[in-house]
Amino acid sequence: MPAVTVENPLTLPRVSAPADAVARPVLTVTTAPGGFEGEGFPVRRAFAGINYRHLDPFIMMDQMGEVEYAPGEPKGTPWHPHRGFETVTYIIDGTFDHQDSHGGGGTITDGDTQWMTAGSGLLHIEAPPEELVVSGGLFHGLQLWVNLPAEDKMMAPRYQDIRGGSVQLLTSPDGGALLRVIAGELDGHEGPGITHTPITMIHATLAPGAEVTLPWREDFNGLAYVMAGRGSVGAERRPVHLGQTAVFGAGSSLTVRADEKQDSHTPDLEIVLLGGRPIREPMAHYGPFVMNTREELQQAFEDFQKGRLGSIPAVHGMTEGGL
């Protein structure tokens, strides 16, 4: 799990919650069920079973892999539509090519993030490059869906390619945690991702036995998803492991700790920390469309069927099926 790292975290700015911060309690811990997405790549549904009032403004998140593909096995998604929200694709290992019907897209690899604001709608494809299909190899990443408020749902589509080298790197006071701020801010340090809905997204790596207590905006919710390893969350040290999501309650700080002993193939605790200001609007969600009303959903389907969300480019760098 290379993502972006540094040899000596103690060279980085250090963050910690103030002594008078109110610790966020852990409300629940859920385990993600497995499934398949696109043309058949394995995913864990990180938010399955969590009440949306705890997730808002986040809609869903899939952990893609971690999987070691044999030659010829890498898979992606076929062309598909989106409207009304943003997709955030974070690649930790491997490579994904993106393309859309508005001419956007690019290639993201170890530690890169692709932030696609679907807005009023577009067609989109994600697939491994041909050389990866031929060679096989390790593939691991996340895709997060972030809702848009009603006033932004029909905005023009937009892409952000966030290179791994541009993320804000921070550490804990003792250097035991490496914090990658992809979007939003942490203790005044801002990540490169530009968001319409105020959120914070952090990939944290904690060495065995390390603990970090971070300041957290009181108007944000708080979520922690374990991508690898085992540890605990909250001041009460609620145990968590690979594939589990912790939901935090109200407060101004949250705590994460890595167990002293990790699995042999997982040297550290790898965890994604998410926070966002809830939109608190009605949500109508079906498939690739996230709107506010059933009528808007019906309109999205009609617009897609009539080709108003764009058309598949006649010439592009990947086949329609992604492979």
Side-chain angles (χ1 to χ4, degrees), residues 2 9 12-13 17 26 59 65 70 119 131 148 186 189 217 226 235 272-273 293:
L12 302 172
V26 178
I59 302 165
E131 60 269 23
L148 288 170
L186 180 64
H189 302 276
R217 281 181 50 167
V226 181
V272 173
L273 304 174
T293 67

Side-chain angles (χ1 to χ4, degrees), residues 189-228:
H189 302 276
E190 294 191 1
I194 300 170
T195 71
H196 290 282
T197 304
I199 72 166
T200 294
M201 179 179 182
I202 297 166
H203 172 193
T205 300
L206 277 73
E211 179 176 294
V212 61
T213 298
L214 300 175
W216 210 252
R217 281 181 50 167
E218 294 187 66
D219 60 335
F220 277 20
N221 57 3
L223 302 162
Y225 175 74
V226 181
M227 293 190 293

Side-chain angles (χ1 to χ4, degrees), residues 224-239:
Y225 175 74
V226 181
M227 293 190 293
R230 56 185 65 249
S232 60
V233 289
E236 62 270 46
R237 293 195 174 185
R238 184 85 171 264

Side-chain angles (χ1 to χ4, degrees), residues 35-43 63-77 91 93-96 126-141 323:
F36 293 91
E37 190 55 77
E39 297 168 330
F41 57 86
V43 298
Q63 181 179 12
M64 305 180 293
E66 184 175 1
V67 59
E68 183 75 43
Y69 282 123
E73 285 188 343
K75 299 173 175 66
T77 67
I91 297 298
D93 297 288
T95 305
F96 240 19
E126 302 159 298
E130 185 176 351
E131 60 269 23
L132 181 61
V133 176
V134 172
S135 67
L138 186 62
F139 179 73
H140 188 202
L323 292 177

Side-chain angles (χ1 to χ4, degrees), residues 148-288:
L148 288 170
E151 64 182 9
D152 292 329
K153 283 194 178 294
M154 296 300 286
M155 67 177 292
R158 184 184 69 178
Y159 260 100
Q160 296 177 72
D161 278 322
I162 303 171
R163 295 302 157 188
S166 70
V167 301
Q168 175 68 63
L169 299 179
L170 307 169
T171 191
S172 52
D174 64 359
L178 175 60
L179 308 168
R180 306 168 187 86
V181 184
I182 297 169
E185 64 89 25
L186 180 64
D187 199 27
H189 302 276
E190 294 191 1
I194 300 170
T195 71
H196 290 282
T197 304
I199 72 166
T200 294
M201 179 179 182
I202 297 166
H203 172 193
T205 300
L206 277 73
E211 179 176 294
V212 61
T213 298
L214 300 175
W216 210 252
R217 281 181 50 167
E218 294 187 66
D219 60 335
F220 277 20
N221 57 3
L223 302 162
Y225 175 74
V226 181
M227 293 190 293
R230 56 185 65 249
S232 60
V233 289
E236 62 270 46
R237 293 195 174 185
R238 184 85 171 264
V240 290
H241 58 72
L242 167 65
Q244 291 192 314
T245 301
V247 178
F248 291 91
S252 56
S253 71
L254 55 82
T255 298
V256 179
R257 185 181 187 278
D259 283 358
E260 295 280 356
K261 186 176 181 180
Q262 298 291 330
D263 300 330
S264 59
H265 64 284
T266 305
D268 302 307
L269 173 66
E270 304 284 351
I271 195 163
V272 173
L273 304 174
L274 297 169
R277 189 171 68 200
I279 296 173
R280 301 292 189 236
E281 293 177 349
M283 184 177 70
H285 172 203
Y286 190 83

